[in-house]
Amino acid sequence: MTAIGKLMATLLLAISLGMMTWAVSTYVQRPGWFAPVPEGGIDKGSTPVSFAQLKDENEAFSRSAAVASDTWGANLKELEDREKFRNDRLKAYADRNKWARTGNPKHLVNPADLKSGVGFYAPTLNPALKLYDLNLDPATGLPKGEAIRGSDDQPLPGVDQQAGLVAENLIVIQRAAAKILELRDKIDAESVKVRATQAELLGMNVIRDSIRNELFYLDRLKGNVSETGETVFRRQKQLLTRLKALGVTDP
Protein backbone atom coordinates (compact mmCIF):
# COMPACT_ATOMS: atom_id res chain seq x y z
CA MET A 1 0.00 0.00 0.00
CA THR A 2 2.86 2.32 0.77
CA ALA A 3 4.43 1.54 -2.54
CA ILE A 4 1.22 2.38 -4.36
CA GLY A 5 0.92 5.65 -2.44
CA LYS A 6 4.48 6.55 -3.28
CA LEU A 7 3.82 5.75 -6.93
CA MET A 8 0.71 7.91 -6.96
CA ALA A 9 2.56 10.73 -5.27
CA THR A 10 5.33 10.45 -7.83
CA LEU A 11 2.83 10.53 -10.68
CA LEU A 12 1.03 13.53 -9.21
CA LEU A 13 4.34 15.33 -8.81
CA ALA A 14 5.25 14.61 -12.40
CA ILE A 15 1.87 15.77 -13.62
CA SER A 16 2.06 18.90 -11.49
CA LEU A 17 5.49 19.71 -12.86
CA GLY A 18 4.17 19.20 -16.43
CA MET A 19 1.13 21.41 -15.76
CA MET A 20 3.33 24.08 -14.18
CA THR A 21 5.67 23.98 -17.14
CA TRP A 22 2.78 24.26 -19.56
CA ALA A 23 1.21 27.14 -17.62
CA VAL A 24 4.51 29.02 -17.46
CA SER A 25 5.16 28.51 -21.18
CA THR A 26 1.60 29.53 -22.03
CA TYR A 27 1.91 32.71 -19.95
CA VAL A 28 5.28 33.55 -21.42
CA GLN A 29 4.29 32.75 -25.04
CA ARG A 30 0.60 33.77 -24.88
CA PRO A 31 -1.12 35.14 -28.17
CA GLY A 32 -1.46 38.90 -28.63
CA TRP A 33 -5.24 38.98 -28.71
CA PHE A 34 -5.44 41.74 -26.14
CA ALA A 35 -2.30 43.59 -27.27
CA PRO A 36 -2.78 47.28 -28.18
CA VAL A 37 -2.56 48.54 -31.74
CA PRO A 38 1.02 49.30 -32.81
CA GLU A 39 1.98 52.96 -32.88
CA GLY A 40 2.76 52.90 -36.60
CA GLY A 41 -0.66 51.54 -37.39
CA ILE A 42 -1.51 48.56 -39.49
CA ASP A 43 -0.72 48.29 -43.16
CA LYS A 44 -3.62 47.89 -45.54
CA GLY A 45 -4.33 44.30 -46.42
CA SER A 46 -3.01 42.97 -43.06
CA THR A 47 -5.04 40.46 -41.12
CA PRO A 48 -6.05 41.62 -37.61
CA VAL A 49 -4.46 39.43 -34.85
CA SER A 50 -5.82 41.27 -31.81
CA PHE A 51 -9.10 42.55 -30.51
CA ALA A 52 -7.82 46.16 -30.66
CA GLN A 53 -6.88 45.79 -34.32
CA LEU A 54 -10.24 44.16 -35.02
CA LYS A 55 -11.99 47.03 -33.25
CA ASP A 56 -10.04 49.64 -35.25
CA GLU A 57 -10.81 47.81 -38.45
CA ASN A 58 -14.49 47.62 -37.56
CA GLU A 59 -14.52 51.34 -36.76
CA ALA A 60 -12.81 52.07 -40.10
CA PHE A 61 -15.37 49.93 -41.88
CA SER A 62 -18.17 51.75 -40.04
CA ARG A 63 -16.80 55.14 -41.09
CA SER A 64 -16.42 53.91 -44.68
CA ALA A 65 -19.96 52.57 -44.56
CA ALA A 66 -21.25 55.92 -43.26
CA VAL A 67 -19.41 57.81 -46.00
CA ALA A 68 -20.68 55.33 -48.59
CA SER A 69 -24.21 55.68 -47.18
CA ASP A 70 -24.02 59.49 -47.41
CA THR A 71 -22.64 59.28 -50.93
CA TRP A 72 -25.31 56.76 -51.88
CA GLY A 73 -28.02 59.02 -50.43
CA ALA A 74 -26.68 62.06 -52.29
CA ASN A 75 -26.41 60.08 -55.53
CA LEU A 76 -29.89 58.66 -54.98
CA LYS A 77 -31.27 62.19 -54.50
CA GLU A 78 -29.45 63.37 -57.66
CA LEU A 79 -30.77 60.34 -59.55
CA GLU A 80 -34.32 60.99 -58.40
CA ASP A 81 -34.00 64.67 -59.41
CA ARG A 82 -32.67 63.70 -62.82
CA GLU A 83 -35.42 61.12 -63.29
CA LYS A 84 -38.04 63.71 -62.35
CA PHE A 85 -36.42 66.22 -64.75
CA ARG A 86 -36.45 63.57 -67.49
CA ASN A 87 -40.06 62.58 -66.81
CA ASP A 88 -41.13 66.25 -66.82
CA ARG A 89 -39.43 66.83 -70.18
CA LEU A 90 -40.93 63.65 -71.60
CA LYS A 91 -44.38 64.86 -70.54
CA ALA A 92 -43.69 68.31 -72.02
CA TYR A 93 -42.56 66.71 -75.29
CA ALA A 94 -45.66 64.50 -75.29
CA ASP A 95 -47.85 67.60 -74.80
CA ARG A 96 -46.13 69.42 -77.66
CA ASN A 97 -46.44 66.36 -79.89
CA LYS A 98 -50.17 66.27 -79.07
CA TRP A 99 -50.49 70.01 -79.77
CA ALA A 100 -48.73 69.51 -83.11
CA ARG A 101 -51.56 67.15 -84.05
CA THR A 102 -54.70 68.56 -82.44
CA GLY A 103 -53.67 72.03 -81.21
CA ASN A 104 -53.30 73.48 -77.71
CA PRO A 105 -56.79 73.59 -76.16
CA LYS A 106 -55.62 76.30 -73.74
CA HIS A 107 -54.44 78.60 -76.53
CA LEU A 108 -57.28 79.10 -79.02
CA VAL A 109 -56.94 81.48 -81.95
CA ASN A 110 -60.73 81.76 -82.10
CA PRO A 111 -62.31 81.34 -78.63
CA ALA A 112 -65.56 80.24 -80.26
CA ASP A 113 -63.82 77.43 -82.15
CA LEU A 114 -62.45 74.66 -79.92
CA LYS A 115 -60.49 73.26 -82.86
CA SER A 116 -58.47 76.46 -83.43
CA GLY A 117 -55.75 75.66 -80.88
CA VAL A 118 -52.19 76.70 -81.72
CA GLY A 119 -50.17 73.71 -82.89
CA PHE A 120 -46.56 74.90 -83.10
CA TYR A 121 -44.33 77.15 -80.99
CA ALA A 122 -40.88 78.57 -81.70
CA PRO A 123 -38.18 76.85 -79.56
CA THR A 124 -36.60 78.89 -76.75
CA LEU A 125 -33.23 78.04 -75.21
CA ASN A 126 -32.61 77.77 -71.47
CA PRO A 127 -29.09 79.28 -71.04
CA ALA A 128 -28.50 77.55 -67.70
CA LEU A 129 -29.31 74.04 -68.98
CA LYS A 130 -28.33 74.65 -72.63
CA LEU A 131 -31.53 72.83 -73.55
CA TYR A 132 -34.83 73.91 -75.03
CA ASP A 133 -37.02 75.45 -72.35
CA LEU A 134 -40.20 73.38 -72.23
CA ASN A 135 -41.63 74.98 -69.09
CA LEU A 136 -44.81 77.01 -69.27
CA ASP A 137 -44.90 80.72 -68.57
CA PRO A 138 -46.18 81.02 -64.97
CA ALA A 139 -47.95 84.28 -65.78
CA THR A 140 -49.97 83.01 -68.76
CA GLY A 141 -49.76 79.23 -68.46
CA LEU A 142 -48.71 79.06 -72.12
CA PRO A 143 -45.42 77.96 -73.72
CA LYS A 144 -42.69 80.58 -73.69
CA GLY A 145 -42.03 80.41 -77.45
CA GLU A 146 -43.97 82.52 -79.94
CA ALA A 147 -46.68 80.80 -81.96
CA ILE A 148 -45.43 79.89 -85.44
CA ARG A 149 -47.52 81.64 -88.10
CA GLY A 150 -48.48 80.57 -91.60
CA SER A 151 -48.61 82.44 -94.89
CA ASP A 152 -51.83 84.14 -93.77
CA ASP A 153 -50.01 85.56 -90.71
CA GLN A 154 -52.21 83.42 -88.44
CA PRO A 155 -50.91 80.83 -85.92
CA LEU A 156 -50.69 77.39 -87.48
CA PRO A 157 -53.20 74.87 -86.06
CA GLY A 158 -52.46 71.18 -85.49
CA VAL A 159 -51.68 68.82 -88.35
CA ASP A 160 -55.04 67.08 -88.04
CA GLN A 161 -56.84 70.42 -88.19
CA GLN A 162 -54.72 71.47 -91.16
CA ALA A 163 -55.65 68.23 -92.93
CA GLY A 164 -59.30 69.08 -92.32
CA LEU A 165 -58.73 72.61 -93.61
CA VAL A 166 -56.95 71.23 -96.67
CA ALA A 167 -59.90 68.92 -97.36
CA GLU A 168 -62.34 71.81 -96.93
CA ASN A 169 -60.19 74.07 -99.09
CA LEU A 170 -59.99 71.35 -101.72
CA ILE A 171 -63.79 71.15 -101.85
CA VAL A 172 -63.95 74.95 -102.11
CA ILE A 173 -61.31 74.88 -104.86
CA GLN A 174 -63.21 72.21 -106.78
CA ARG A 175 -66.42 74.22 -106.52
CA ALA A 176 -64.57 77.37 -107.59
CA ALA A 177 -63.01 75.47 -110.54
CA ALA A 178 -66.46 74.26 -111.63
CA LYS A 179 -67.79 77.82 -111.28
CA ILE A 180 -64.84 79.10 -113.31
CA LEU A 181 -65.59 76.60 -116.09
CA GLU A 182 -69.23 77.68 -116.05
CA LEU A 183 -68.23 81.34 -116.21
CA ARG A 184 -65.80 80.60 -119.03
CA ASP A 185 -68.63 79.02 -121.02
CA LYS A 186 -70.70 82.13 -120.39
CA ILE A 187 -67.74 84.31 -121.39
CA ASP A 188 -67.36 82.34 -124.62
CA ALA A 189 -71.07 82.79 -125.34
CA GLU A 190 -70.88 86.48 -124.56
CA SER A 191 -67.72 86.75 -126.67
CA VAL A 192 -69.68 85.42 -129.66
CA LYS A 193 -72.31 88.08 -129.02
CA VAL A 194 -69.61 90.73 -128.60
CA ARG A 195 -67.98 89.75 -131.89
CA ALA A 196 -71.37 89.86 -133.64
CA THR A 197 -72.07 93.25 -132.08
CA GLN A 198 -68.62 94.47 -133.12
CA ALA A 199 -69.30 93.32 -136.67
CA GLU A 200 -72.62 95.18 -136.64
CA LEU A 201 -70.91 98.23 -135.18
CA LEU A 202 -68.24 98.05 -137.88
CA GLY A 203 -70.95 97.93 -140.55
CA MET A 204 -72.75 100.84 -138.91
CA ASN A 205 -69.48 102.78 -138.84
CA VAL A 206 -69.04 102.12 -142.56
CA ILE A 207 -72.62 103.28 -143.21
CA ARG A 208 -72.06 106.34 -141.00
CA ASP A 209 -68.86 107.22 -142.86
CA SER A 210 -70.65 106.84 -146.20
CA ILE A 211 -73.52 109.07 -145.03
CA ARG A 212 -71.05 111.66 -143.74
CA ASN A 213 -69.24 111.68 -147.07
CA GLU A 214 -72.57 112.01 -148.90
CA LEU A 215 -73.66 114.84 -146.61
CA PHE A 216 -70.33 116.58 -147.16
CA TYR A 217 -70.79 116.28 -150.92
CA LEU A 218 -74.38 117.50 -150.72
CA ASP A 219 -73.35 120.43 -148.53
CA ARG A 220 -70.77 121.50 -151.07
CA LEU A 221 -73.28 121.07 -153.89
CA LYS A 222 -75.85 123.11 -152.00
CA GLY A 223 -73.29 125.86 -151.58
CA ASN A 224 -72.52 125.87 -155.27
CA VAL A 225 -76.23 125.97 -156.16
CA SER A 226 -76.80 128.86 -153.76
CA GLU A 227 -73.89 130.84 -155.13
CA THR A 228 -74.97 130.12 -158.71
CA GLY A 229 -78.56 131.27 -157.94
CA GLU A 230 -77.37 134.51 -156.41
CA THR A 231 -75.18 135.21 -159.41
CA VAL A 232 -78.08 134.58 -161.80
CA PHE A 233 -80.41 136.84 -159.80
CA ARG A 234 -77.77 139.58 -159.69
CA ARG A 235 -77.20 139.37 -163.44
CA GLN A 236 -80.94 139.37 -164.07
CA LYS A 237 -81.32 142.47 -161.95
CA GLN A 238 -78.46 144.16 -163.78
CA LEU A 239 -80.02 143.22 -167.13
CA LEU A 240 -83.44 144.55 -166.17
CA THR A 241 -81.86 147.77 -164.99
CA ARG A 242 -80.15 148.27 -168.34
CA LEU A 243 -83.29 147.42 -170.27
CA LYS A 244 -85.26 149.97 -168.30
CA ALA A 245 -82.57 152.47 -169.05
CA LEU A 246 -83.07 151.70 -172.73
CA GLY A 247 -86.85 152.18 -172.44
CA VAL A 248 -87.89 148.56 -172.33
CA THR A 249 -90.47 148.29 -169.62
CA ASP A 250 -91.72 144.80 -170.34
CA PRO A 251 -88.92 142.66 -171.67
Side-chain angles (χ1 to χ4, degrees):
M1 189 68 183
T2 305
I4 295 174
K6 291 181 178 179
L7 179 59
M8 292 296 291
T10 302
L11 289 174
L12 290 174
L13 179 61
I15 292 172
S16 299
L17 291 174
M19 294 293 291
M20 183 182 66
T21 302
W22 175 79
V24 172
S25 63
T26 300
Y27 177 77
V28 173
Q29 299 180 359
R30 66 183 183 275
W33 293 341
F34 297 96
V37 179
E39 294 182 359
I42 303 173
D43 296 334
K44 292 183 178 180
S46 300
T47 302
V49 296
S50 66
F51 292 115
Q53 293 177 356
L54 182 61
K55 181 180 178 182
D56 287 348
E57 186 175 14
N58 288 336
E59 291 177 353
F61 284 154
S62 297
R63 290 192 296 271
S64 298
V67 173
S69 178
D70 294 339
T71 303
W72 181 85
N75 291 336
L76 177 62
K77 180 65 169 58
E78 182 179 0
L79 176 61
E80 290 175 347
D81 292 341
R82 288 180 178 271
E83 286 182 344
K84 182 178 181 303
F85 178 73
R86 175 178 176 273
N87 293 332
D88 291 342
R89 289 186 68 83
L90 286 176
K91 183 179 180 301
Y93 275 120
D95 291 339
R96 296 205 172 216
N97 186 35
K98 183 178 179 181
W99 297 341
R101 292 187 175 277
T102 60
N104 186 358
K106 296 181 179 180
H107 191 183
L108 301 178
V109 178
N110 182 8
D113 185 4
L114 299 179
K115 296 182 179 181
S116 63
V118 176
F120 302 92
Y121 295 90
T124 56
L125 186 65
N126 188 329
L129 299 176
K130 295 183 178 180
L131 297 172
Y132 288 130
D133 192 351
L134 303 178
N135 296 323
L136 301 179
D137 190 345
T140 61
L142 300 177
K144 295 181 180 179
E146 293 291 336
I148 296 178
R149 299 178 178 271
S151 58
D152 57 353
D153 199 29
Q154 294 296 324
L156 290 174
V159 175
D160 295 343
Q161 304 303 326
Q162 291 187 38
L165 293 176
V166 169
E168 294 176 0
N169 291 335
L170 181 60
I171 294 174
V172 173
I173 290 173
Q174 291 175 346
R175 291 177 179 174
K179 188 67 175 179
I180 289 172
L181 293 176
E182 181 182 354
L183 293 176
R184 282 183 176 177
D185 293 338
K186 290 183 179 180
I187 289 174
D188 293 339
E190 294 297 328
S191 297
V192 173
K193 293 181 180 180
V194 168
R195 286 193 293 270
T197 303
Q198 287 177 345
E200 292 179 359
L201 179 61
L202 181 61
M204 294 176 66
N205 288 335
V206 172
I207 295 172
R208 182 196 62 186
D209 292 339
S210 299
I211 293 174
R212 283 182 175 178
N213 293 333
E214 188 69 20
L215 288 175
F216 179 73
Y217 174 75
L218 293 175
D219 286 340
R220 293 184 62 185
L221 182 60
K222 181 179 180 181
N224 292 334
V225 171
S226 177
E227 291 178 358
T228 302
E230 291 179 357
T231 302
V232 171
F233 290 145
R234 186 173 59 254
R235 293 292 181 87
Q236 182 182 8
K237 185 177 181 181
Q238 291 176 356
L239 179 59
L240 292 175
T241 303
R242 296 295 298 272
L243 289 174
K244 286 180 180 181
L246 294 173
V248 180
T249 60
D250 188 11

